[in-house]
Amino acid sequence: MSLEISNITKVYSGRNGTTEALKPTSFSVHPGDFVSLVGPSGCGKSTTLYMAAGLEPTSGGVISLNGKEITGPGRDRGMVFQNYSLLPWLTVEQNVKFSHQLKANNDYSDSVAEVLSHQAYADQLIEIVGLGDFRNSLPGELSGGMKQRVAIARALANKPEILLMDEPFGALDAQTREEMQELMLLLSVHERTTVLFVTHDVEEALYISSRVLVYSARPGRIIEEIDIPFSRDRELDIKFTPEFTQLKRHLLDLLHGSGSQDRNSILQRLKKTSNSLPN
Ligand code: ADP
């Protein structure tokens, strides 16, 4: 049972004509996998994630979760975005419990026991992400990293089959970012959380993932799939090993070869501009 992405494509239509964002793309995410999508900006990483979330239709191909085709958003997928998307007037605890309460109000299929067990699970999650002492705080009283911990706990509270994370740590400072990477890694090891993760940060992808899919420049397609050879129970120090550095070099070379701004083209443009500037 898994997330199956089969030959999906995406073409956006806008005022300036059409944009081919994604070439036919296929991959699977199995239970317990932590799969990261990396690639140059604009190559279709977020588009892939939004299609898996059911927030954006595909232009072709099929996405299914546990054999069921995805046609819209659902509680079987938890989303975490870069901008936290918390409700500012609710406390940490209320934010984590909110989406399930919404469901409980509209859908009478959950028994009282299920609702209570969900509440207990949500309480545990608040502890796991390290916010036990802040359960009554409002989002405005929290740091960026703490807000993102709330967003992760909230997404996990519905016990989704998979977490879909779009550059979730992009707005955080370097140290907080590493703490969050460690949290996600440990969640995936100990809770077997299954994750599809979008990042432009090669080091983050290598540290956190069990598998990395490298996209080409737009229109994106998978140009390489890397099974990360380190134990899942790895520690931050792994970033200083020669094996890690070698993989990082390899990934950066792939990205530079696939459309990132390279040094020579920047130098050429600088030269052109400086020639045309008055002395
Ligand atoms: P990435 O996440 O890899 O940076 P995206 O998936 O956000 O890339 O975008 C891929 C391409 O699709 C980009 O060229 C972007 O401008 C375009 N795009 C994304 N969303 C839309 C949209 N809603 N309408 C038109 N074009 C879009």
Side-chain angles (χ1 to χ4, degrees), residues 63-104:
I63 305 182
S64 59
L65 184 60
N66 296 342
K68 203 171 131 231
E69 187 171 343
I70 287 171
T71 52
R75 286 209 316 158
D76 48 5
R77 284 148 288 147
M79 285 290 298
V80 181
F81 304 94
Q82 185 180 124
N83 58 3
Y84 322 122
S85 54
L86 302 178
L87 298 170
W89 59 89
L90 295 183
T91 64
V92 165
E93 182 175 337
Q94 288 164 337
N95 262 289
V96 173
K97 295 180 176 174
F98 179 74
S99 62
H100 198 272
Q101 272 165 357
L102 259 191
K103 195 229 167 205

mmCIF file of all heavy atoms in Angstrom, residues 63-104:
data_model
loop_
_atom_site.group_PDB
_atom_site.id
_atom_site.type_symbol
_atom_site.label_atom_id
_atom_site.label_comp_id
_atom_site.label_asym_id
_atom_site.label_seq_id
_atom_site.Cartn_x
_atom_site.Cartn_y
_atom_site.Cartn_z
ATOM 1 N N ILE A 63 -2.745 9.658 -9.895
ATOM 2 C CA ILE A 63 -2.122 9.536 -8.570
ATOM 3 C C ILE A 63 -3.092 8.754 -7.693
ATOM 4 O O ILE A 63 -4.287 9.065 -7.660
ATOM 5 C CB ILE A 63 -1.870 10.910 -7.925
ATOM 6 C CG1 ILE A 63 -1.048 11.790 -8.877
ATOM 7 C CG2 ILE A 63 -1.163 10.763 -6.572
ATOM 8 C CD1 ILE A 63 -0.702 13.159 -8.310
ATOM 9 N N SER A 64 -2.579 7.722 -7.029
ATOM 10 C CA SER A 64 -3.472 6.986 -6.136
ATOM 11 C C SER A 64 -2.786 6.744 -4.793
ATOM 12 O O SER A 64 -1.554 6.690 -4.710
ATOM 13 C CB SER A 64 -3.909 5.667 -6.763
ATOM 14 O OG SER A 64 -2.786 4.882 -7.033
ATOM 15 N N LEU A 65 -3.631 6.648 -3.771
ATOM 16 C CA LEU A 65 -3.136 6.350 -2.428
ATOM 17 C C LEU A 65 -3.847 5.084 -1.962
ATOM 18 O O LEU A 65 -5.081 5.042 -1.950
ATOM 19 C CB LEU A 65 -3.426 7.519 -1.474
ATOM 20 C CG LEU A 65 -2.872 7.383 -0.063
ATOM 21 C CD1 LEU A 65 -1.362 7.248 -0.057
ATOM 22 C CD2 LEU A 65 -3.282 8.580 0.793
ATOM 23 N N ASN A 66 -3.059 4.081 -1.639
ATOM 24 C CA ASN A 66 -3.610 2.783 -1.248
ATOM 25 C C ASN A 66 -4.631 2.289 -2.273
ATOM 26 O O ASN A 66 -5.702 1.808 -1.919
ATOM 27 C CB ASN A 66 -4.245 2.853 0.146
ATOM 28 C CG ASN A 66 -3.196 3.155 1.193
ATOM 29 O OD1 ASN A 66 -1.996 2.990 0.949
ATOM 30 N ND2 ASN A 66 -3.617 3.610 2.353
ATOM 31 N N GLY A 67 -4.302 2.477 -3.543
ATOM 32 C CA GLY A 67 -5.133 1.946 -4.616
ATOM 33 C C GLY A 67 -6.309 2.820 -4.986
ATOM 34 O O GLY A 67 -7.030 2.533 -5.952
ATOM 35 N N LYS A 68 -6.539 3.923 -4.246
ATOM 36 C CA LYS A 68 -7.698 4.778 -4.522
ATOM 37 C C LYS A 68 -7.225 6.048 -5.216
ATOM 38 O O LYS A 68 -6.328 6.736 -4.719
ATOM 39 C CB LYS A 68 -8.372 5.125 -3.181
ATOM 40 C CG LYS A 68 -9.812 5.509 -3.327
ATOM 41 C CD LYS A 68 -10.475 5.621 -1.957
ATOM 42 C CE LYS A 68 -11.224 6.935 -1.901
ATOM 43 N NZ LYS A 68 -10.975 7.768 -0.778
ATOM 44 N N GLU A 69 -7.828 6.352 -6.373
ATOM 45 C CA GLU A 69 -7.372 7.520 -7.121
ATOM 46 C C GLU A 69 -7.646 8.812 -6.340
ATOM 47 O O GLU A 69 -8.712 8.980 -5.740
ATOM 48 C CB GLU A 69 -8.085 7.581 -8.480
ATOM 49 C CG GLU A 69 -7.516 8.690 -9.346
ATOM 50 C CD GLU A 69 -8.040 8.670 -10.779
ATOM 51 O OE1 GLU A 69 -8.586 7.635 -11.222
ATOM 52 O OE2 GLU A 69 -7.905 9.715 -11.445
ATOM 53 N N ILE A 70 -6.666 9.716 -6.380
ATOM 54 C CA ILE A 70 -6.818 10.998 -5.680
ATOM 55 C C ILE A 70 -7.531 11.983 -6.602
ATOM 56 O O ILE A 70 -7.074 12.241 -7.716
ATOM 57 C CB ILE A 70 -5.434 11.534 -5.260
ATOM 58 C CG1 ILE A 70 -4.908 10.691 -4.099
ATOM 59 C CG2 ILE A 70 -5.497 13.010 -4.883
ATOM 60 C CD1 ILE A 70 -3.468 10.976 -3.724
ATOM 61 N N THR A 71 -8.664 12.495 -6.144
ATOM 62 C CA THR A 71 -9.401 13.466 -6.966
ATOM 63 C C THR A 71 -9.618 14.780 -6.219
ATOM 64 O O THR A 71 -10.182 15.716 -6.755
ATOM 65 C CB THR A 71 -10.780 12.891 -7.384
ATOM 66 O OG1 THR A 71 -11.433 12.432 -6.194
ATOM 67 C CG2 THR A 71 -10.647 11.734 -8.355
ATOM 68 N N GLY A 72 -9.172 14.845 -4.965
ATOM 69 C CA GLY A 72 -9.324 16.075 -4.174
ATOM 70 C C GLY A 72 -8.605 15.892 -2.851
ATOM 71 O O GLY A 72 -8.028 14.827 -2.599
ATOM 72 N N PRO A 73 -8.645 16.939 -2.003
ATOM 73 C CA PRO A 73 -7.963 16.819 -0.707
ATOM 74 C C PRO A 73 -8.646 15.773 0.173
ATOM 75 O O PRO A 73 -9.820 15.470 -0.025
ATOM 76 C CB PRO A 73 -8.133 18.217 -0.085
ATOM 77 C CG PRO A 73 -8.636 19.095 -1.164
ATOM 78 C CD PRO A 73 -9.296 18.239 -2.196
ATOM 79 N N GLY A 74 -7.924 15.218 1.124
ATOM 80 C CA GLY A 74 -8.524 14.230 2.030
ATOM 81 C C GLY A 74 -7.715 14.098 3.290
ATOM 82 O O GLY A 74 -6.538 14.463 3.328
ATOM 83 N N ARG A 75 -8.356 13.552 4.332
ATOM 84 C CA ARG A 75 -7.684 13.441 5.624
ATOM 85 C C ARG A 75 -6.596 12.374 5.633
ATOM 86 O O ARG A 75 -5.848 12.251 6.599
ATOM 87 C CB ARG A 75 -8.714 13.117 6.707
ATOM 88 C CG ARG A 75 -9.580 14.297 7.058
ATOM 89 C CD ARG A 75 -10.043 14.228 8.494
ATOM 90 N NE ARG A 75 -10.486 12.883 8.851
ATOM 91 C CZ ARG A 75 -10.536 12.442 10.093
ATOM 92 N NH1 ARG A 75 -10.153 13.206 11.078
ATOM 93 N NH2 ARG A 75 -10.969 11.225 10.350
ATOM 94 N N ASP A 76 -6.553 11.566 4.547
ATOM 95 C CA ASP A 76 -5.488 10.558 4.490
ATOM 96 C C ASP A 76 -4.139 11.174 4.140
ATOM 97 O O ASP A 76 -3.121 10.506 4.157
ATOM 98 C CB ASP A 76 -5.850 9.443 3.487
ATOM 99 C CG ASP A 76 -6.338 9.981 2.154
ATOM 100 O OD1 ASP A 76 -6.310 11.222 1.952
ATOM 101 O OD2 ASP A 76 -6.751 9.162 1.310
ATOM 102 N N ARG A 77 -4.146 12.483 3.806
ATOM 103 C CA ARG A 77 -2.887 13.191 3.531
ATOM 104 C C ARG A 77 -2.801 14.438 4.417
ATOM 105 O O ARG A 77 -3.733 15.226 4.444
ATOM 106 C CB ARG A 77 -2.843 13.626 2.061
ATOM 107 C CG ARG A 77 -2.529 12.469 1.106
ATOM 108 C CD ARG A 77 -3.217 12.654 -0.223
ATOM 109 N NE ARG A 77 -4.646 12.435 -0.120
ATOM 110 C CZ ARG A 77 -5.555 13.086 -0.843
ATOM 111 N NH1 ARG A 77 -5.193 14.000 -1.702
ATOM 112 N NH2 ARG A 77 -6.843 12.821 -0.676
ATOM 113 N N GLY A 78 -1.680 14.579 5.140
ATOM 114 C CA GLY A 78 -1.482 15.779 5.972
ATOM 115 C C GLY A 78 -0.541 16.721 5.246
ATOM 116 O O GLY A 78 0.446 16.279 4.677
ATOM 117 N N MET A 79 -0.884 18.014 5.243
ATOM 118 C CA MET A 79 -0.039 18.996 4.537
ATOM 119 C C MET A 79 0.689 19.890 5.539
ATOM 120 O O MET A 79 0.092 20.337 6.515
ATOM 121 C CB MET A 79 -0.896 19.930 3.675
ATOM 122 C CG MET A 79 -1.442 19.368 2.388
ATOM 123 S SD MET A 79 -0.214 19.077 1.111
ATOM 124 C CE MET A 79 0.480 20.684 0.755
ATOM 125 N N VAL A 80 1.947 20.184 5.264
ATOM 126 C CA VAL A 80 2.680 21.201 6.027
ATOM 127 C C VAL A 80 3.335 22.138 5.019
ATOM 128 O O VAL A 80 4.089 21.699 4.149
ATOM 129 C CB VAL A 80 3.765 20.577 6.932
ATOM 130 C CG1 VAL A 80 4.486 21.665 7.721
ATOM 131 C CG2 VAL A 80 3.156 19.557 7.901
ATOM 132 N N PHE A 81 2.996 23.424 5.118
ATOM 133 C CA PHE A 81 3.522 24.430 4.190
ATOM 134 C C PHE A 81 4.620 25.248 4.871
ATOM 135 O O PHE A 81 4.780 25.198 6.090
ATOM 136 C CB PHE A 81 2.411 25.393 3.759
ATOM 137 C CG PHE A 81 1.224 24.720 3.144
ATOM 138 C CD1 PHE A 81 0.125 24.372 3.918
ATOM 139 C CD2 PHE A 81 1.192 24.439 1.788
ATOM 140 C CE1 PHE A 81 -0.979 23.753 3.358
ATOM 141 C CE2 PHE A 81 0.088 23.816 1.219
ATOM 142 C CZ PHE A 81 -0.997 23.478 2.004
ATOM 143 N N GLN A 82 5.294 26.075 4.075
ATOM 144 C CA GLN A 82 6.350 26.914 4.636
ATOM 145 C C GLN A 82 5.801 27.959 5.608
ATOM 146 O O GLN A 82 6.438 28.304 6.591
ATOM 147 C CB GLN A 82 7.098 27.610 3.482
ATOM 148 C CG GLN A 82 8.280 28.393 3.964
ATOM 149 C CD GLN A 82 9.033 29.088 2.842
ATOM 150 O OE1 GLN A 82 9.211 30.291 2.883
ATOM 151 N NE2 GLN A 82 9.471 28.352 1.848
ATOM 152 N N ASN A 83 4.593 28.459 5.317
ATOM 153 C CA ASN A 83 4.091 29.611 6.086
ATOM 154 C C ASN A 83 3.194 29.222 7.272
ATOM 155 O O ASN A 83 2.326 29.985 7.667
ATOM 156 C CB ASN A 83 3.341 30.554 5.151
ATOM 157 C CG ASN A 83 2.202 29.834 4.464
ATOM 158 O OD1 ASN A 83 1.964 28.657 4.753
ATOM 159 N ND2 ASN A 83 1.491 30.490 3.578
ATOM 160 N N TYR A 84 3.396 28.024 7.811
ATOM 161 C CA TYR A 84 2.741 27.539 9.045
ATOM 162 C C TYR A 84 1.228 27.335 8.910
ATOM 163 O O TYR A 84 0.695 26.359 9.373
ATOM 164 C CB TYR A 84 2.993 28.460 10.252
ATOM 165 C CG TYR A 84 4.375 29.041 10.299
ATOM 166 C CD1 TYR A 84 4.593 30.410 10.314
ATOM 167 C CD2 TYR A 84 5.487 28.211 10.321
ATOM 168 C CE1 TYR A 84 5.869 30.934 10.358
ATOM 169 C CE2 TYR A 84 6.769 28.723 10.360
ATOM 170 C CZ TYR A 84 6.948 30.086 10.369
ATOM 171 O OH TYR A 84 8.202 30.603 10.397
ATOM 172 N N SER A 85 0.521 28.332 8.345
ATOM 173 C CA SER A 85 -0.937 28.273 8.188
ATOM 174 C C SER A 85 -1.674 27.833 9.461
ATOM 175 O O SER A 85 -2.534 26.967 9.433
ATOM 176 C CB SER A 85 -1.347 27.405 6.994
ATOM 177 O OG SER A 85 -0.791 26.127 7.072
ATOM 178 N N LEU A 86 -1.292 28.460 10.586
ATOM 179 C CA LEU A 86 -2.021 28.204 11.837
ATOM 180 C C LEU A 86 -3.141 29.227 11.987
ATOM 181 O O LEU A 86 -3.098 30.297 11.372
ATOM 182 C CB LEU A 86 -1.070 28.345 13.027
ATOM 183 C CG LEU A 86 0.151 27.430 13.019
ATOM 184 C CD1 LEU A 86 1.024 27.706 14.233
ATOM 185 C CD2 LEU A 86 -0.271 25.969 12.979
ATOM 186 N N LEU A 87 -4.123 28.916 12.803
ATOM 187 C CA LEU A 87 -5.191 29.876 13.069
ATOM 188 C C LEU A 87 -4.757 30.731 14.258
ATOM 189 O O LEU A 87 -4.578 30.217 15.372
ATOM 190 C CB LEU A 87 -6.501 29.141 13.360
ATOM 191 C CG LEU A 87 -6.965 28.302 12.165
ATOM 192 C CD1 LEU A 87 -8.116 27.394 12.540
ATOM 193 C CD2 LEU A 87 -7.341 29.201 10.999
ATOM 194 N N PRO A 88 -4.534 32.048 14.037
ATOM 195 C CA PRO A 88 -3.861 32.872 15.047
ATOM 196 C C PRO A 88 -4.670 33.078 16.317
ATOM 197 O O PRO A 88 -4.103 33.385 17.361
ATOM 198 C CB PRO A 88 -3.636 34.208 14.328
ATOM 199 C CG PRO A 88 -4.545 34.207 13.153
ATOM 200 C CD PRO A 88 -4.830 32.780 12.800
ATOM 201 N N TRP A 89 -5.988 32.879 16.255
ATOM 202 C CA TRP A 89 -6.809 33.122 17.444
ATOM 203 C C TRP A 89 -6.977 31.853 18.281
ATOM 204 O O TRP A 89 -7.607 31.887 19.331
ATOM 205 C CB TRP A 89 -8.179 33.687 17.034
ATOM 206 C CG TRP A 89 -8.951 32.775 16.125
ATOM 207 C CD1 TRP A 89 -9.804 31.790 16.510
ATOM 208 C CD2 TRP A 89 -8.918 32.764 14.703
ATOM 209 N NE1 TRP A 89 -10.298 31.154 15.408
ATOM 210 C CE2 TRP A 89 -9.788 31.737 14.282
ATOM 211 C CE3 TRP A 89 -8.240 33.513 13.732
ATOM 212 C CZ2 TRP A 89 -9.981 31.429 12.941
ATOM 213 C CZ3 TRP A 89 -8.446 33.215 12.399
ATOM 214 C CH2 TRP A 89 -9.303 32.198 12.009
ATOM 215 N N LEU A 90 -6.418 30.735 17.837
ATOM 216 C CA LEU A 90 -6.510 29.491 18.610
ATOM 217 C C LEU A 90 -5.177 29.182 19.273
ATOM 218 O O LEU A 90 -4.122 29.516 18.736
ATOM 219 C CB LEU A 90 -6.881 28.323 17.685
ATOM 220 C CG LEU A 90 -8.253 28.375 17.021
ATOM 221 C CD1 LEU A 90 -8.485 27.099 16.209
ATOM 222 C CD2 LEU A 90 -9.362 28.551 18.042
ATOM 223 N N THR A 91 -5.234 28.540 20.438
ATOM 224 C CA THR A 91 -3.996 28.155 21.140
ATOM 225 C C THR A 91 -3.333 26.999 20.386
ATOM 226 O O THR A 91 -3.922 26.401 19.479
ATOM 227 C CB THR A 91 -4.304 27.664 22.563
ATOM 228 O OG1 THR A 91 -5.092 26.466 22.448
ATOM 229 C CG2 THR A 91 -5.038 28.702 23.381
ATOM 230 N N VAL A 92 -2.117 26.670 20.836
ATOM 231 C CA VAL A 92 -1.388 25.533 20.263
ATOM 232 C C VAL A 92 -2.277 24.284 20.299
ATOM 233 O O VAL A 92 -2.485 23.611 19.284
ATOM 234 C CB VAL A 92 -0.089 25.293 21.075
ATOM 235 C CG1 VAL A 92 0.515 23.932 20.783
ATOM 236 C CG2 VAL A 92 0.917 26.417 20.806
ATOM 237 N N GLU A 93 -2.838 24.003 21.467
ATOM 238 C CA GLU A 93 -3.652 22.794 21.624
ATOM 239 C C GLU A 93 -4.879 22.838 20.703
ATOM 240 O O GLU A 93 -5.210 21.861 20.035
ATOM 241 C CB GLU A 93 -4.087 22.679 23.084
ATOM 242 C CG GLU A 93 -4.896 21.441 23.354
ATOM 243 C CD GLU A 93 -5.217 21.277 24.839
ATOM 244 O OE1 GLU A 93 -4.498 21.842 25.681
ATOM 245 O OE2 GLU A 93 -6.204 20.598 25.132
ATOM 246 N N GLN A 94 -5.530 24.005 20.655
ATOM 247 C CA GLN A 94 -6.735 24.105 19.806
ATOM 248 C C GLN A 94 -6.372 23.969 18.333
ATOM 249 O O GLN A 94 -7.102 23.347 17.564
ATOM 250 C CB GLN A 94 -7.425 25.450 20.060
ATOM 251 C CG GLN A 94 -8.106 25.508 21.418
ATOM 252 C CD GLN A 94 -8.452 26.933 21.828
ATOM 253 O OE1 GLN A 94 -7.863 27.905 21.359
ATOM 254 N NE2 GLN A 94 -9.415 27.058 22.728
ATOM 255 N N ASN A 95 -5.227 24.522 17.939
ATOM 256 C CA ASN A 95 -4.801 24.374 16.546
ATOM 257 C C ASN A 95 -4.581 22.910 16.195
ATOM 258 O O ASN A 95 -4.976 22.453 15.131
ATOM 259 C CB ASN A 95 -3.504 25.160 16.292
ATOM 260 C CG ASN A 95 -3.764 26.518 15.670
ATOM 261 O OD1 ASN A 95 -4.138 26.622 14.507
ATOM 262 N ND2 ASN A 95 -3.578 27.568 16.463
ATOM 263 N N VAL A 96 -3.940 22.180 17.109
ATOM 264 C CA VAL A 96 -3.628 20.768 16.815
ATOM 265 C C VAL A 96 -4.917 19.946 16.754
ATOM 266 O O VAL A 96 -5.058 19.037 15.941
ATOM 267 C CB VAL A 96 -2.641 20.199 17.868
ATOM 268 C CG1 VAL A 96 -2.438 18.704 17.683
ATOM 269 C CG2 VAL A 96 -1.299 20.933 17.784
ATOM 270 N N LYS A 97 -5.899 20.306 17.597
ATOM 271 C CA LYS A 97 -7.129 19.508 17.657
ATOM 272 C C LYS A 97 -8.191 19.991 16.671
ATOM 273 O O LYS A 97 -9.179 19.296 16.438
ATOM 274 C CB LYS A 97 -7.687 19.526 19.087
ATOM 275 C CG LYS A 97 -6.748 18.826 20.061
ATOM 276 C CD LYS A 97 -7.266 18.831 21.482
ATOM 277 C CE LYS A 97 -6.325 18.018 22.381
ATOM 278 N NZ LYS A 97 -6.690 18.090 23.796
ATOM 279 N N PHE A 98 -7.960 21.155 16.080
ATOM 280 C CA PHE A 98 -9.013 21.844 15.322
ATOM 281 C C PHE A 98 -9.569 21.043 14.143
ATOM 282 O O PHE A 98 -10.769 20.864 14.019
ATOM 283 C CB PHE A 98 -8.492 23.191 14.817
ATOM 284 C CG PHE A 98 -9.485 23.956 14.001
ATOM 285 C CD1 PHE A 98 -10.564 24.582 14.621
ATOM 286 C CD2 PHE A 98 -9.363 24.052 12.631
ATOM 287 C CE1 PHE A 98 -11.493 25.291 13.883
ATOM 288 C CE2 PHE A 98 -10.290 24.759 11.879
ATOM 289 C CZ PHE A 98 -11.351 25.380 12.507
ATOM 290 N N SER A 99 -8.673 20.519 13.294
ATOM 291 C CA SER A 99 -9.181 19.922 12.057
ATOM 292 C C SER A 99 -9.996 18.677 12.374
ATOM 293 O O SER A 99 -10.975 18.370 11.713
ATOM 294 C CB SER A 99 -8.051 19.602 11.091
ATOM 295 O OG SER A 99 -7.210 18.663 11.678
ATOM 296 N N HIS A 100 -9.607 17.974 13.443
ATOM 297 C CA HIS A 100 -10.376 16.788 13.794
ATOM 298 C C HIS A 100 -11.718 17.176 14.394
ATOM 299 O O HIS A 100 -12.735 16.524 14.158
ATOM 300 C CB HIS A 100 -9.589 15.914 14.755
ATOM 301 C CG HIS A 100 -10.114 14.522 14.807
ATOM 302 N ND1 HIS A 100 -11.110 14.150 15.656
ATOM 303 C CD2 HIS A 100 -9.814 13.438 14.068
ATOM 304 C CE1 HIS A 100 -11.399 12.875 15.452
ATOM 305 N NE2 HIS A 100 -10.624 12.423 14.500
ATOM 306 N N GLN A 101 -11.725 18.294 15.143
ATOM 307 C CA GLN A 101 -12.997 18.751 15.710
ATOM 308 C C GLN A 101 -13.958 19.144 14.600
ATOM 309 O O GLN A 101 -15.141 18.846 14.644
ATOM 310 C CB GLN A 101 -12.751 19.934 16.633
ATOM 311 C CG GLN A 101 -12.437 19.477 18.038
ATOM 312 C CD GLN A 101 -11.829 20.581 18.882
ATOM 313 O OE1 GLN A 101 -11.592 21.683 18.389
ATOM 314 N NE2 GLN A 101 -11.557 20.278 20.117
ATOM 315 N N LEU A 102 -13.413 19.787 13.562
ATOM 316 C CA LEU A 102 -14.246 20.166 12.410
ATOM 317 C C LEU A 102 -14.916 18.935 11.852
ATOM 318 O O LEU A 102 -16.106 18.897 11.596
ATOM 319 C CB LEU A 102 -13.353 20.725 11.302
ATOM 320 C CG LEU A 102 -13.254 22.217 11.107
ATOM 321 C CD1 LEU A 102 -12.534 22.482 9.806
ATOM 322 C CD2 LEU A 102 -14.621 22.878 11.115
ATOM 323 N N LYS A 103 -14.100 17.888 11.701
ATOM 324 C CA LYS A 103 -14.617 16.664 11.123
ATOM 325 C C LYS A 103 -15.666 16.062 12.060
ATOM 326 O O LYS A 103 -16.733 15.645 11.634
ATOM 327 C CB LYS A 103 -13.467 15.686 10.909
ATOM 328 C CG LYS A 103 -13.852 14.559 9.994
ATOM 329 C CD LYS A 103 -13.495 13.224 10.552
ATOM 330 C CE LYS A 103 -14.187 12.136 9.747
ATOM 331 N NZ LYS A 103 -14.359 10.945 10.509
ATOM 332 N N ALA A 104 -15.365 16.078 13.370
ATOM 333 C CA ALA A 104 -16.294 15.479 14.328
ATOM 334 C C ALA A 104 -17.644 16.196 14.300
ATOM 335 O O ALA A 104 -18.688 15.590 14.472
ATOM 336 C CB ALA A 104 -15.690 15.522 15.724
#
